[in-house]
Amino acid sequence: MKNKKNIGMGQGTGTSILENAYSLKTPNDNKLYYKEIANNYDQDFAEDLGYIYPSEISNMLLKCLKEINGPICDIGCGTGLVGSFLKNTDKSLIIDGVDISNEMLAVAQNKNVYRKLYNVDLTTKKYQIPNNYGALISSGTFTHGHLGPDPIGKLIDHCSSGAVCFFGINKEHYKSMSFDTYIKKLNDKNIIKDISIDQISIYTKVDTNHGSNKANICSFKIC
């Protein structure tokens, strides 16, 4: 992992964390990396870069609360930034979280916003999580060095009919990994419907490398 020595060393910390994350190759790389940065992630990354991704996508889901019939699953929940925003907005929400990093999950656990947290590698064939979710939400997980589109189809199997989904996907990653083709196939098979693609900014504190990064928010309902 390049620039690893810069992690947690002041100016440029957020950018270093991001670039290192983009360079990850395997699930084990992700486990080792997030083990190292979990305890300082919120300050060194989220605060340093003005990481608004979790709140932006959460606000989109909150507009659909009347349509949600069942618990919410936060995919790649990390330290619980999405879960915290949702729960602080509506304390009645029931939210589970899944993540590949036990250390990130430990930080999320301490925020007391999740009903249950699951250590899950989303590249595997089966997930040991409930199958009655009324909504899925994900920010920051479908990006460079992390996940392609295949887990989306498997995650849908853990939802009730009519569930609403909001998958945030890095704009460049969306194109390079052909998420559009994958989503279209799910629609053509009548697995999902009412697809919408919206674009949001990921950061507010602009730096020369990543300040203009965008995410495509792919939202849909499950048939």
Side-chain angles (χ1 to χ4, degrees), residues 179-192:
F179 276 83
D180 55 344
T181 301
Y182 189 89
I183 295 298
K184 184 179 184 301
K185 287 181 179 178
L186 293 177
N187 184 65
D188 290 344
K189 294 179 180 179
N190 294 317
I191 296 173
I192 64 174

Side-chain angles (χ1 to χ4, degrees), residues 15-43:
T15 299
S16 296
I17 289 174
L18 179 62
E19 291 179 348
N20 288 335
Y22 280 178
S23 72
L24 301 174
K25 301 296 183 183
T26 68
N28 194 54
D29 288 344
N30 278 268
K31 291 178 183 178
L32 293 173
Y33 184 61
Y34 286 101
K35 179 179 181 179
E36 179 179 2
I37 67 172
N39 288 333
N40 299 313
Y41 179 88
D42 288 3
Q43 179 180 351

Side-chain angles (χ1 to χ4, degrees), residues 3 6 11 28 83 85 125 132 139-140 167-168 181 185 187 211:
N3 297 329
N6 291 332
Q11 188 174 6
N28 194 54
F85 189 90
K125 292 183 178 181
N132 66 334
S139 74
F167 284 95
T181 301
K185 287 181 179 178
N187 184 65

Side-chain angles (χ1 to χ4, degrees), residues 22-198:
Y22 280 178
S23 72
L24 301 174
K25 301 296 183 183
T26 68
N28 194 54
D29 288 344
N30 278 268
K31 291 178 183 178
L32 293 173
Y33 184 61
Y34 286 101
K35 179 179 181 179
E36 179 179 2
I37 67 172
N39 288 333
N40 299 313
Y41 179 88
D42 288 3
Q43 179 180 351
D44 290 350
F45 173 73
E47 292 182 19
D48 191 50
L49 293 183
Y51 188 53
I52 59 171
Y53 200 170
S55 59
E56 292 292 293
I57 194 171
S58 294
N59 276 324
M60 296 177 73
L61 181 145
L62 288 168
K63 293 177 182 178
C64 299
L65 281 185
K66 292 182 179 180
E67 302 175 45
I68 297 175
N69 184 21
I72 299 167
C73 191
D74 179 7
I75 307 302
C77 65
T79 60
L81 296 175
V82 165
S84 295
F85 189 90
L86 290 173
K87 197 73 170 183
N88 289 336
T89 304
D90 187 337
K91 296 188 183 302
S92 70
L93 295 177
I94 299 172
I95 311 168
D96 289 347
V98 304
D99 200 89
I100 195 171
S101 168
N102 276 318
E103 290 74 20
M104 297 285 272
L105 289 171
V107 177
Q109 180 69 49
N110 287 334
K111 295 179 179 177
N112 296 314
V113 296
Y114 293 97
R115 176 184 67 173
K116 183 78 174 179
L117 291 166
Y118 299 90
N119 179 229
V120 175
D121 177 356
L122 293 171
T123 66
T124 57
K125 292 183 178 181
K126 293 184 178 181
Y127 314 141
Q128 297 300 315
I129 61 175
N131 59 4
N132 66 334
Y133 289 115
L136 301 178
I137 186 169
S138 180
S139 74
T141 299
F142 291 85
T143 187
H144 308 293
H146 291 65
L147 295 175
D150 288 344
I152 293 176
K154 291 182 284 186
L155 286 164
I156 287 172
D157 291 339
H158 295 272
C159 293
S160 302
S161 177
V164 298
C165 301
F166 292 84
F167 284 95
I169 306 159
N170 176 281
K171 181 182 175 183
E172 294 178 358
H173 192 60
Y174 184 92
K175 181 177 180 180
S176 66
M177 297 296 289
S178 300
F179 276 83
D180 55 344
T181 301
Y182 189 89
I183 295 298
K184 184 179 184 301
K185 287 181 179 178
L186 293 177
N187 184 65
D188 290 344
K189 294 179 180 179
N190 294 317
I191 296 173
I192 64 174
K193 62 182 180 179
D194 301 340
I195 301 168
S196 177
I197 307 294
D198 299 282

